[in-house]
């Protein structure tokens, strides 16, 4: 790495960006203008929206009790509103069966629903409720308020009953008719509810008074809320701690993306990339120079946006209760979080932008990147997610949660989880940078030429020019097809009531979801099914070795599984579903369980994942990429996150077995033994107890399962490592001769 | 100076399974000589020169430039060459001076030597009036001058021009050809690809005719004329190419009718 070249490229790119009007606009002007502008619009809209009165049709006003009054003149009584002016926002229209269209009576506005639309045939009186319904539906009124006949008299009767301490008569309920299909109607309903609730309080108070209870009994218990943050300088920190991390993430992404597109796709488009590539600067130096430039602009965008929010936010929201300036230390925490965030997004944007042929194509990639990032960034703020070890391991989400904890002043949490968050984030950064460098080394990416998409030609090519084994693209396609079918099948999954149904469900899902797509694609997309599915004779010792490996590794896998469950606890519903399955197993003969849960997956899943997908990925690129990709697809088909993580790790091991032995069979044996032990081990403690009581300490029943003794776990791991070392020597690399 | 041996390059291609851009190309070019690579569009000239400039990697074969191998010592090779093609544009948001200076610095030249060198280049190529003009505001001719200056700023022993006159008007093209000839007279080894016969005739000391990834003929202009008994280069070029295509067509017909290769 020649650092002076990196510096030169960095300096040039920065100058180049500073001379670009569009970039400058995005980075400096947009943030300064956005928030005041948004504030203005928001205030404007809120005023307009709140000032609009809603039209309410009142039916049966005459049935209201004399006191307390609900309607005074042609409005609700002003004392029923917190701010008396609010009464204006509910415009009342009385309905009168006798009144004719357009005639205004002495008691204010009168209305006859349906008269405007002319739907009501003259002379045929409508039931009030039906008429109100059609009026609200037609949008003539935003809501209707119906008081049933006898309503007032019953209220009076209640009051009298209260006075006599008698059983009260039943009171018919008033009705609000509204529709959630129209926002104004919902608003009208909400306003009506508030008014009626306050009125109900007054009615209740009058009952109490009639019964001789003191007036203060309605407000006997009052609550004082003390905000500690008022004194500590963290007033309103909860809100800031939700807003600021999301803004930081989003703006460092956007701020990285536009320069990245200009620096890579733009340079390709303008034809200067080849000039640069033929200069003495090495590709890694070019990538690094560009990456640092992008990071710089990404950070700058985020900082300017945050400053702009900090400047305008408090002014705009100062009226809101519990809202203060951002916590004093927030610049420090945001600054610290900015570095990893912008590094991650810069590297991702750089890799995507390097792939694009033109700036236009580059812009298309922003959307998918956003679609992945926004949920990761916003969910922690919206979903009430807490910082736990499990959550801290999710990229972006962990960072947002950690930053939130810091802004809220939860320093103990920060200390606890800073290490995992930073480890995951820097791991993601390294991967993204490697991807970007890879893009710059790939001729196919750098000199990608526009090709017309001809579906027929492509399909023809796919079939006619198919190789003995699938391509990486074919492998990924197969994985995605399996995942899609899996997803749609899982929507129709119903908990089986007995083992027979369960067996059928598993068999169908294994055959239809996993085996069939893989076999079909093998037949259509490859010339040599034998080579594709690794149907070769493995080295003789590999089969027993795989069985021993699975058995020896089982206690450790069991411990690992428990750790994962602790990290990401199962939801109650999931727990219930799983225990339901376990009770199914308890009553089935062991050989049937092995057949369904172990043998079927061992064959079907191995053929799909270590056969088609692994071989396809193996045909280009490093063997580890093939192992990891096949393991990830393998994990994802296991549905539940907790199972998927374990399956992913097992998948890596299975991939390695396929790589070392060049055959699918050792993996099948491993898979069979692993799955069989997984379900049968629950029965083992009882069996040990009755047959080998001396050995029962090895495996004890524990809460919701079994627990291996630590010596067993350690010894098993030791044996497993020995078997792995043995396989590493015995197996021929990749089985290729 | 430049030694190319059995150079091949394949690209994956939907229509043909794989596209053979170069099919066993070999040639040598010496210092003080302009070696012309003459071929129609799509002959593989750009691919060959991109491999020479280490931007692409060969599928097989070897290329050494001034003793350095393009696959094993790409960084060294890039120091030995000045590369200019229709695809090596100038930066829009840099002035002529900044652009040339940037590449001089990337070549590791120290400040004073670079400044002196640039003064003399700008003088020689008559670029002093566009010194502070941004690339975006330059005419095609101006851009071409900047590209030449950029390619020769570090005084490389080998210069590669790929279709350098494409899109230039006669005046600018003539000026460029004169510059190339001057560089030859300074003892540079020059590789010059073109599809324009006149340029090849006027400029090149040796000519290789490249078609469909293969060299059909190679030699000095006189050698080619004698060997093929044709004085006019354009006629000669056309004849070689059509003969080659006819042979290929015949082979393809044979394969189609008999089902096997001859």
């Amino acid at each position: 790495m020649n650092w002076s070249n990196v510096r030169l490229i960095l300096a040039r790119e920065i100058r180049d960006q500073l001379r670009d009007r569009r970039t400058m606009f995005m980075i400096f002007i947009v943030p300064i203008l956005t928030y005041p502008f948004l504030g203005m619009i928001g205030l404007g809209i809120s005023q307009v929206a709140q000032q609009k009165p809603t039209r309410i049709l009142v039916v049966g006003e005459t049935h209201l009790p004399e006191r307390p009054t609900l309607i005074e003149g042609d409005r609700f009584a002003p004392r029923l509103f917190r701010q008396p002016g609010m009464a204006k926002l509910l415009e009342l229209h009385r309905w009168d069966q006798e009144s004719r269209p357009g005639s205004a009576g002495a008691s204010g506005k009168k209305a006859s629903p349906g008269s405007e639309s002319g739907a009501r045939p003259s002379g045929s009186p409508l039931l009030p409720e039906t008429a109100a319904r059609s009026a609200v539906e037609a949008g003539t009124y935003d809501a209707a308020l119906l008081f049933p006949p006898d309503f007032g008299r019953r209220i009076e009767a209640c009051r009298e009953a209260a006075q006599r301490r008698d059983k009260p008569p039943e009171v018919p309920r008033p009705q609000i008719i509204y529709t959630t299909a129209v926002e104004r109607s919902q608003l009208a309903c909400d306003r009506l509810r508030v008014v009626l609730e306050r009125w109900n309080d007054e009615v209740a108070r009058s009952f109490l008074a009639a019964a001789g209870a003191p007036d203060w009994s309605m407000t006997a218990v009052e609550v004082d809320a003390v905000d500690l943050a008022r004194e500590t300088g963290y007033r309103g920190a909860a809100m800031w701690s939700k807003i600021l991390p999301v803004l930081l993430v989003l703006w460092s992404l956007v701020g990285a993306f536009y320069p990245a597109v200009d620096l890579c796709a733009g340079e390709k488009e303008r034809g200067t990339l080849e000039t640069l590539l033929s200069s003495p600067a090495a590709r890694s130096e070019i990538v690094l120079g560009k990456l640092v430039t992008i990071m710089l602009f990404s950070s700058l965008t985020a900082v300017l946006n945050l400053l702009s929010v900090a400047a305008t936010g408090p002014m705009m929201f100062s009226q809101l209760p519990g809202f203060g300036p951002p916590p004093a230390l927030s610049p420090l925490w945001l600054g610290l979080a900015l570095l990893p965030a912008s590094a991650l997004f810069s590297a991702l944007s750089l890799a995507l932008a390097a792939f694009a042929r033109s700036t236009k194509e580059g812009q298309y990639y922003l959307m998918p990147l956003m679609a992945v990032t926004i949920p990761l960034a916003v969910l922690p703020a919206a979903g009430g997610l807490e910082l736990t070890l499990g959550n801290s391991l999710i990229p972006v989400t962990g960072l947002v949660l950690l930053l939130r904890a810091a802004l809220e002043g939860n320093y103990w949490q920060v200390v606890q989880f800073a290490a995992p968050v930073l480890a995951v984030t820097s791991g993601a950064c390294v991967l993204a940078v490697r991807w970007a460098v890879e893009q710059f080394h790939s001729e196919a990416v750098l000199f990608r030429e526009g090709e017309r998409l001809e579906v027929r030609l492509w399909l023809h090519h796919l079939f006619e020019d198919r190789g003995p084994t699938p391509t990486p693209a074919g492998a990924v396609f197969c994985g995605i097809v399996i995942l899609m079918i899996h997803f749609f099948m899982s929507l129709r999954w119903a908990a089986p009531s007995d083992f027979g149904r369960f067996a059928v469900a598993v068999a169908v899902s294994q055959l239809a979801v996993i085996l069939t797509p893989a076999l079909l694609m093998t037949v259509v997309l490859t010339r040599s099914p034998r080579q594709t599915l690794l149907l070769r004779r493995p080295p003789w010792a590999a089969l027993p070795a795989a069985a021993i490996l699975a058995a020896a590794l089982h206690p450790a896998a069991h411990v690992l599984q428990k750790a994962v469950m602790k990290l990401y606890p199962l939801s109650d519903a999931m727990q219930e579903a799983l225990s339901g399955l376990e009770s199914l197993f308890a009553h089935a003969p062991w050989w049937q369980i092995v057949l369904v849960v172990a043998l079927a997956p061992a064959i079907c899943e191995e053929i799909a994942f270590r056969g088609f997908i692994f071989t396809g990925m193996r045909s280009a690129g490093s063997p580890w990429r093939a192992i990891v990709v096949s393991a990830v697809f393998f994990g994802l088909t296991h549905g539940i996150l907790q199972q998927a993580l374990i399956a992913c790790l097992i998948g890596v091991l299975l991939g390695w077995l396929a790589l070392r032995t060049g055959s699918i069979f050792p993996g099948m044996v491993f898979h069979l033994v692993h799955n069989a032990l997984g379900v049968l081990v629950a029965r083992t403690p009882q069996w040990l107890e009755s047959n080998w009581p001396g050995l029962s300490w090895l495996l004890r029943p524990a809460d919701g399962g079994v627990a291996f003794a630590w010596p067993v776990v350690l010894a098993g791991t030791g044996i497993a490592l020995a078997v792995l070392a043995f396989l590493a020597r015995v197996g021929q690399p990749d089985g290729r001769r | 100076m430049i030694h190319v041996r059995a150079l091949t390059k394949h690209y994956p291609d939907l229509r043909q399974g794989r596209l053979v851009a170069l099919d066993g190309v070999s040639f040598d070019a010496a210092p003080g000589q302009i070696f012309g690579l003459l071929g129609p569009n799509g002959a593989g000239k750009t691919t060959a020169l991109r491999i020479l400039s280490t931007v692409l990697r060969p599928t097989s074969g070897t290329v050494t430039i001034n003793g350095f191998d393009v696959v094993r010592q790409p960084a060294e090779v890039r120091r030995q060459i000045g590369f200019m093609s229709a695809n090596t544009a100038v930066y829009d948001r840099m002035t002529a001076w900044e652009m040339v200076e940037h590449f001089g610095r990337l070549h590791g030249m120290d400040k004073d030597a670079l400044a002196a060198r640039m003064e003399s280049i700008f003088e020689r190529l008559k670029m002093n009036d566009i010194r502070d003009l941004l690339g975006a505001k330059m005419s095609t001719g101006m851009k071409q001058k900047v590209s030449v200056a950029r390619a020769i700023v570090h005084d490389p022993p080998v210069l590669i021009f790929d279709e350098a006159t494409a899109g230039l008007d006669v005046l600018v093209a003539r000026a460029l050809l004169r510059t190339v000839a001057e560089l030859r007279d300074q003892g540079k080894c020059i590789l010059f690809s073109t599809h324009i016969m006149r340029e090849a005739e006027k400029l090149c000391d040796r000519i290789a005719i490249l078609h469909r990834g293969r060299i059909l003929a190679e030699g000095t202009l006189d050698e080619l004329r004698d060997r093929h008994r044709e004085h006019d280069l354009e006629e000669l070029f056309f004849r070689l190419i059509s003969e080659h295509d006819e042979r290929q067509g015949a082979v393809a017909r044979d394969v189609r009718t008999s089902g096997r290769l001859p």
Side-chain angles (χ1 to χ4, degrees):
Chain A
M1 185 78 66
N2 182 342
W3 291 103
S4 94
N5 278 355
V6 177
R7 233 182 6 254
L8 275 171
I9 291 174
L10 173 64
R12 197 209 78 77
E13 300 292 7
I14 292 175
R15 187 168 49 185
D16 205 53
Q17 289 303 306
L18 289 178
R19 284 181 184 173
D20 182 25
R21 236 175 287 153
R22 281 172 307 173
T23 317
M24 288 300 93
F25 183 78
M26 275 305 292
I27 290 172
F28 292 110
I29 310 296
V30 168
I32 293 169
L33 294 184
T34 303
Y35 300 97
F37 190 66
L38 276 183
M40 257 158 52
I41 292 179
L43 280 180
I45 288 179
S46 67
Q47 268 170 0
V48 171
Q50 280 180 359
Q51 293 310 317
K52 265 241 157 109
T54 38
R55 293 159 58 82
I56 312 289
L57 177 67
V58 181
V59 180
E61 191 200 339
T62 45
H63 308 312
L64 278 170
E66 293 281 315
R67 66 202 156 94
T69 49
L70 176 64
I71 297 175
E72 290 174 1
D74 52 1
R75 298 248 169 83
F76 285 117
R79 59 164 209 291
L80 296 174
F81 295 87
R82 203 166 278 155
Q83 291 159 312
M86 295 283 283
K88 268 191 292 196
L89 296 181
L90 287 160
E91 203 175 83
L92 300 189
H93 299 260
R94 300 194 169 88
W95 190 62
D96 196 335
Q97 194 113 33
E98 278 76 41
S99 72
R100 273 188 294 278
S103 71
S107 61
K109 294 169 189 163
K110 288 198 173 185
S112 176
S115 61
E116 273 121 335
S117 58
R120 184 184 164 202
S122 58
S124 65
L126 274 171
L127 282 173
E129 194 189 326
T130 326
R133 271 170 191 269
S134 56
V136 171
E137 220 160 60
T140 321
Y141 298 102
D142 297 314
L145 180 58
L146 274 68
F147 292 103
D150 233 20
F151 179 67
R153 231 171 314 136
R154 297 285 181 101
I155 296 271
E156 288 299 335
C158 277
R159 193 176 293 124
E160 281 157 21
Q163 213 162 5
R164 293 193 308 271
R165 312 274 166 103
D166 265 358
K167 222 179 133 209
E170 204 177 307
V171 181
R173 293 170 171 212
Q175 254 184 345
I176 299 174
I177 293 175
Y178 77 113
T179 164
T180 49
V182 179
E183 203 192 346
R184 282 176 56 81
S185 180
Q186 251 180 309
L187 183 68
C189 173
D190 292 343
R191 286 172 177 169
L192 281 176
R193 274 180 201 278
V194 173
V195 172
L196 290 175
E197 238 163 64
R198 287 179 81 102
W199 185 64
N200 178 52
D201 280 354
E202 290 192 352
V203 173
R205 203 166 277 150
S206 76
F207 288 4
L208 284 174
D215 190 47
W216 50 259
S217 51
M218 281 294 283
T219 49
V221 178
E222 290 215 57
V223 179
D224 271 337
V226 179
D227 180 12
L228 288 180
R230 259 176 195 287
E231 291 116 53
T232 57
Y234 279 93
R235 186 165 153 255
M239 183 152 162
W240 284 114
S241 71
K242 275 186 185 163
I243 297 176
L244 294 179
V246 175
L247 279 180
L248 176 99
V249 165
L250 290 185
W251 280 110
S252 58
L253 169 62
V254 173
F257 199 81
Y258 288 102
V261 168
D262 188 59
L263 251 56
C264 296
E267 201 159 325
K268 267 192 209 178
E269 199 173 47
R270 294 188 292 269
T272 47
L273 189 62
E274 207 170 323
T275 321
L276 189 59
L277 291 177
S278 62
S279 83
R283 309 257 163 124
S284 49
E285 294 158 8
I286 296 174
V287 173
L288 197 62
K290 284 183 185 290
L291 181 68
V292 177
T293 314
I294 296 168
M295 269 180 71
L296 205 69
F297 281 89
S298 148
S299 321
L300 209 57
T301 312
V303 165
L304 284 175
N305 274 283
L306 290 171
L307 284 180
S308 179
V309 169
T312 49
M315 279 190 268
M316 270 159 40
F317 301 119
S318 52
Q319 275 87 10
L320 290 184
F323 198 87
L329 279 177
S330 45
L332 172 70
W333 301 124
L334 289 167
L336 284 177
L338 186 56
L339 188 72
S342 72
L344 177 61
F345 293 127
S346 301
L348 279 176
S349 309
L350 182 64
L352 279 176
F355 184 72
R357 268 190 306 260
S358 62
T359 39
K360 182 177 153 224
E361 188 183 332
Q363 314 281 14
Y364 287 151
Y365 299 145
L366 179 60
M367 208 47 223
L369 191 57
M370 283 281 209
V372 175
T373 312
I374 288 180
L376 288 178
V378 173
L379 278 184
L385 225 54
E386 290 285 328
L387 191 55
T388 60
L389 185 57
N391 293 336
S392 72
L393 295 180
I394 307 172
V396 184
T397 301
L399 189 66
V400 168
L401 286 171
L402 188 73
L403 186 54
R404 190 168 92 185
L407 290 174
E408 284 172 351
N410 278 329
Y411 299 129
W412 171 234
Q413 275 200 338
V414 175
V415 171
Q416 270 181 304
F417 297 112
V421 169
L422 286 182
V424 167
T425 310
S426 31
C429 279
V430 168
L431 285 179
V433 172
R434 274 195 54 176
W435 185 33
V437 173
E438 225 170 77
Q439 298 276 296
F440 265 86
H441 273 110
S442 159
E443 287 172 10
V445 169
L446 289 179
F447 297 100
R448 224 151 52 91
E449 275 160 17
E451 250 176 32
R452 207 153 36 112
L453 179 69
E454 286 182 66
V455 175
R456 241 191 56 202
L457 187 69
W458 180 69
L459 287 176
H460 180 81
H461 157 79
L462 220 54
F463 184 73
E464 279 297 308
D465 303 329
R466 64 199 200 276
T469 58
T471 59
V476 170
F477 180 67
C478 175
I480 291 173
V481 166
I482 290 178
L483 283 183
M484 295 300 267
I485 306 177
H486 176 82
F487 174 72
F488 286 111
M489 291 282 281
S490 68
L491 291 182
R492 299 186 53 84
W493 172 265
S497 52
D498 57 56
F499 187 76
R501 280 170 212 271
F502 173 75
V504 171
V506 169
V508 167
S509 88
Q510 286 289 330
L511 289 176
V513 179
I514 293 172
L515 187 65
T516 312
L519 285 184
L520 269 179
M521 280 189 222
T522 305
V523 172
V524 177
L525 296 179
T526 73
R527 285 190 198 279
S528 167
R530 197 168 157 259
Q531 227 174 315
T532 300
L533 302 182
L534 299 177
L535 304 174
R536 299 199 192 93
R537 198 163 52 81
W540 65 270
L543 295 179
I548 296 172
L549 182 64
L553 218 45
H554 187 263
H558 197 264
V559 170
L560 189 68
Q561 185 154 12
K562 287 212 158 154
V564 169
M565 294 295 178
K566 211 168 201 152
L567 215 49
Y568 304 96
L570 284 176
S571 66
D572 289 344
M574 191 56 74
Q575 200 108 44
E576 205 168 304
L578 285 185
S579 64
L581 281 187
E582 266 163 31
S583 64
L584 288 186
F585 291 165
H587 304 296
W590 69 269
W591 61 270
Q592 284 184 4
I593 298 179
V594 170
L595 211 62
V596 172
V597 184
L599 187 64
I603 294 173
C604 300
E605 292 180 353
E606 287 312 299
I607 283 181
F609 296 104
R610 254 63 59 182
F612 193 88
I613 295 180
F614 175 79
T615 312
M617 293 307 298
R618 187 71 194 88
S619 61
S622 83
W624 278 103
R625 191 181 72 164
I627 290 179
V628 169
V629 171
S630 61
V632 167
F633 275 121
F634 179 59
L636 288 177
T637 43
H638 284 72
I640 316 165
L641 171 79
Q642 293 83 348
Q643 277 186 4
L645 284 174
I646 301 282
C648 209
L649 290 176
I650 299 285
V652 169
L653 197 60
L654 286 165
W656 184 82
L657 275 179
L659 178 78
R660 291 309 301 179
T661 62
S663 161
I664 200 166
F665 299 111
M668 283 185 179
V669 170
F670 181 99
H671 202 147
L672 173 74
V673 175
H674 174 84
N675 279 19
L677 286 177
V679 281
L680 293 184
V681 88
R683 303 180 167 200
T684 316
Q686 285 171 315
W687 181 79
L688 271 181
E689 192 69 49
S690 51
N691 292 297
W692 308 85
L695 291 179
S696 61
W697 61 274
L698 294 175
L699 186 63
R700 280 186 314 274
D703 52 327
V706 292
F708 283 96
W710 277 106
V712 178
V713 177
L714 291 178
T717 313
I719 296 172
L721 287 176
V723 175
L724 283 175
F726 169 75
L727 279 170
R729 279 196 309 131
V730 151
Q732 63 245 65
D734 200 16
R736 287 184 181 181
R737 263 147 264 186
Chain B
M1 204 41 107
I2 301 177
H3 303 289
V4 178
R5 287 290 166 274
L7 187 63
T8 61
K9 176 72 183 174
H10 301 163
Y11 297 111
D13 183 78
L14 271 192
R15 219 172 270 272
Q16 298 157 26
R18 78 181 177 187
L19 182 81
V20 182
L22 289 176
D23 190 6
V25 168
S26 303
F27 62 84
D28 298 284
Q33 199 184 55
I34 298 179
F35 187 92
L37 216 48
L38 188 63
N41 290 332
K45 300 183 299 273
T46 297
T47 302
L49 299 187
R50 275 181 173 164
I51 291 174
L52 262 61
S53 65
T54 75
V55 173
L56 291 181
R57 290 167 70 90
T59 307
S60 68
T62 57
V63 179
T64 54
I65 292 181
N66 212 8
F68 298 104
D69 185 279
V70 290
V71 177
R72 278 177 287 121
Q73 299 151 296
E76 287 304 324
V77 168
R78 287 198 292 269
R79 281 179 209 292
Q80 306 300 318
I81 60 168
F83 180 61
M84 183 185 151
S85 83
N87 299 314
T88 52
V90 301
Y91 284 110
D92 277 353
R93 298 172 217 138
M94 278 179 120
T95 65
W97 186 265
E98 286 168 346
M99 168 96 187
V100 178
E101 188 186 27
H102 177 65
F103 282 89
R105 301 274 305 272
L106 280 178
H107 277 286
M109 300 174 73
D110 77 75
K111 256 193 170 146
D112 297 335
L114 179 60
R117 171 86 182 146
M118 282 173 65
E119 287 294 352
S120 89
I121 292 177
F122 272 62
E123 190 63 39
R124 184 142 49 96
L125 296 177
K126 300 189 180 61
M127 287 167 54
N128 278 320
D129 47 342
I130 58 165
R131 239 179 219 242
D132 298 321
L133 196 63
L134 283 180
K137 302 237 161 95
M138 289 181 199
S139 69
T140 319
M142 293 174 186
K143 284 183 181 168
Q144 213 67 3
K145 277 186 183 174
V146 176
S147 284
V148 174
R150 191 262 308 153
I152 63 174
V153 63
H154 56 297
D155 200 14
V158 175
L159 282 161
I160 300 175
F161 293 94
D162 181 17
E163 306 260 359
T165 54
L168 297 186
D169 67 35
V170 184
L171 292 179
V172 183
R174 269 180 80 93
L176 180 71
L177 295 184
R178 206 176 316 125
T179 311
V180 174
E182 278 171 31
L183 287 166
R184 177 221 2 234
D185 298 340
Q186 290 167 24
K188 308 281 181 204
C189 171
I190 295 173
L191 202 54
F192 189 90
S193 93
T194 182
H195 62 273
I196 304 168
M197 306 299 142
R198 287 278 300 147
E199 281 179 2
E201 265 177 332
K202 270 177 61 176
L203 199 63
C204 298
D205 303 300
R206 292 183 74 82
I207 293 175
I209 294 177
L210 190 68
H211 180 53
R212 293 187 194 269
R214 289 194 189 161
I215 289 189
L216 302 184
E218 198 239 300
T220 63
L221 193 54
D222 290 334
E223 281 170 10
L224 290 178
R225 283 172 177 156
D226 288 349
R227 207 182 303 151
H228 299 282
R229 291 192 205 90
E230 172 62 66
H231 184 76
D232 188 61
L233 183 61
E234 194 170 314
E235 287 300 320
L236 193 153
F237 177 80
F238 186 72
R239 213 176 70 203
L240 282 174
I241 282 177
S242 19
E243 277 172 16
H244 179 263
D245 283 350
E246 261 167 43
R247 269 200 308 279
Q248 290 291 307
V251 170
R253 270 195 304 281
D254 278 356
V255 173
R256 235 175 289 139
T257 48
S258 69
R260 73 201 135 90
L261 282 163

